Amino acid sequence: MKIAHICQSYPPMVSGQSFMVERLARGAVGLGHEVMVISASDRKEPYRTVTNGVNLVRLTSWRNPLRVGQRLTVWGAGEMKAALQEFQADIVHLHDPTNSGLAGIAAARALRIPVLLTAHAMPWLINAYLPDMPAVARTVESISWVYARGVIRRCDLVVAPSLRAAREIHEETKVDVRVVSNGADLSRFTAEPLPSEEEAALRQQFGLPAGVPIILHAGRLDADKNVPAVVRAAARAMRDNPQVHLLVAGDGVDRLELIELCAELGIAERSHFPGFVDAKTDLPKVFRMADLFVTASEMEVQSLVLLEAIASGLPVVAVDATSVSEMVEHGQSGYLVRSGDERGMAAAITKLLNNQSASSFSQRAREIAEQHTLERTFKGYDELYHEVIAKRVERRRLRDSLL
């Protein structure tokens, strides 16, 4: 089978979508398929290359003003069509419903190639970048759903990584939505203790004193992640725990403001912002070094970094929103708090820091992660690819028989 992925972001650009597409592409290669990825160029000009058996087609791009290190394509339907035709794709897998997605659909329909769409984000994501005006947010979300319905109904099959997202898409569009988890690499993200020499070196690298407990947040430092809430809640918990340090791994537009916030809250000397941490090398070690993971994001369809945290056996404190409760069991593998309840988040952090049964939380977190293996993800998508192609072939056969 020849599978063509179309997305905005692909490594070395850093985002959940880019990492997910890379894993799916390499997973499909491992299953014996031929794979092409069409994405925005990471260096402005277009180029082609082959990496890890994946044919990469990079389109002319422009800098994304809302995301650090991200670039965008404006259209590119002609280039996509030419690449798909040359590759002779059997199926197109879309990962972005915006301009690149529309261009991909146009190119695929022109060549009569079936299209599968994965919903990595929901229409309400854009609200995180708007002023705090509920009426405006509701209007924008309503318009976004009109647009999303138009895109979704032009695809042969829609996939969501969580049950919550699948239900919401179905309610808004009346389209049948399948569920396939993003998955986590359980061989790299493990709950095994980090060797003392590696932990010592990592603590020295990040300026962390030996032996101090670590509150960890990892991911993009942008508006939709609501990291200031994590910092404020951590600062409350740190007042009662003078040995605890905060580690905020990742980069983004809000990084400098978050550093300033830590200074305002009096925790600057116990807060660490190392910037981007490579998910393939240091990040698995960071998870194994930390004591708990905290997130206040309310925009996740299914958080890759949260999956990786629980795969590493980390107890979690999170806002009970979107799909988070599918990955965190309140009182069993972590604690869920209400939206906006920073006092509750701080209390939950303190509870975990002082919890004598942390090992049971760690064990349950890992058990939940084991339901989200990459092998299941690859198998799930492989079955859907065959299903979509088979249905398209059957429709053509029926149509031809009526002519």
Side-chain angles (χ1 to χ4, degrees), residues 10-269:
Y10 193 81
M13 287 187 276
V14 177
S15 72
Q17 182 195 104
S18 72
F19 293 151
M20 185 61 201
V21 179
E22 181 186 39
R23 291 196 311 200
L24 287 178
R26 295 175 68 173
V29 169
L31 292 175
H33 301 303
E34 293 183 53
V35 181
M36 177 174 70
V37 174
I38 303 174
S39 74
S41 173
D42 56 304
R43 57 191 191 210
K44 186 178 180 178
E45 69 274 3
Y47 68 95
R48 293 193 180 197
T49 187
V50 178
T51 304
N52 297 310
V54 178
N55 298 280
L56 297 180
V57 178
R58 301 281 196 170
L59 305 181
T60 302
S61 65
W62 287 262
R63 188 180 68 83
N64 183 343
L66 298 178
R67 298 275 182 89
V68 172
Q70 296 290 304
R71 302 189 66 84
L72 299 167
T73 58
V74 173
W75 182 238
E79 293 91 336
M80 290 182 188
K81 181 181 177 182
L84 292 172
Q85 195 164 26
E86 179 184 339
F87 183 63
Q88 296 184 323
D90 295 307
I91 188 168
V92 167
H93 188 162
L94 291 182
H95 298 271
D96 191 325
T98 57
N99 50 342
S100 66
L102 286 179
I105 290 173
R109 287 172 69 90
L111 298 171
R112 297 185 177 180
I113 302 171
V115 176
L116 181 150
L117 169 69
T118 292
H120 293 286
M122 302 291 279
W124 30 255
L125 174 64
I126 195 172
N127 291 341
Y129 297 91
L130 297 175
D132 187 14
M133 300 171 64
V136 172
R138 286 193 298 270
T139 300
V140 171
E141 183 174 338
S142 178
I143 294 171
S144 298
W145 271 116
V146 171
Y147 173 84
R149 281 191 286 270
V151 173
I152 285 169
R153 288 169 180 168
R154 297 178 70 190
C155 299
D156 292 80
L157 187 65
V158 178
V159 179
S162 65
L163 290 169
R164 168 69 185 273
R167 284 195 297 266
E168 187 168 348
I169 294 171
H170 176 71
E171 289 171 2
E172 292 285 346
T173 67
K174 309 308 177 188
V175 169
D176 181 37
V177 182
R178 305 297 182 84
V179 178
V180 179
S181 171
N182 286 330
D185 187 345
L186 301 189
S187 63
R188 283 196 305 116
F189 294 93
T190 170
E192 293 296 320
L194 191 64
S196 56
E197 321 82 63
E198 291 186 37
E199 178 168 344
L202 201 58
R203 283 178 178 265
Q204 184 177 21
Q205 178 183 336
F206 293 153
L208 288 157
V212 300
I214 299 170
I215 300 169
L216 173 67
H217 178 279
R220 286 188 295 105
L221 306 183
D222 294 327
D224 56 307
K225 301 300 183 181
N226 197 23
V227 188
V230 172
V231 171
R232 288 190 292 266
R236 285 180 180 273
M238 291 163 72
R239 290 172 196 155
D240 299 324
N241 294 271
Q243 297 302 310
V244 176
H245 282 238
L246 172 65
L247 176 61
V248 181
D251 201 359
V253 174
D254 293 346
R255 183 169 180 264
L256 292 179
E257 290 183 10
L258 292 166
I259 293 173
E260 292 173 1
L261 178 60
C262 287
E264 293 171 10
L265 295 171
I267 59 170
E269 293 184 358

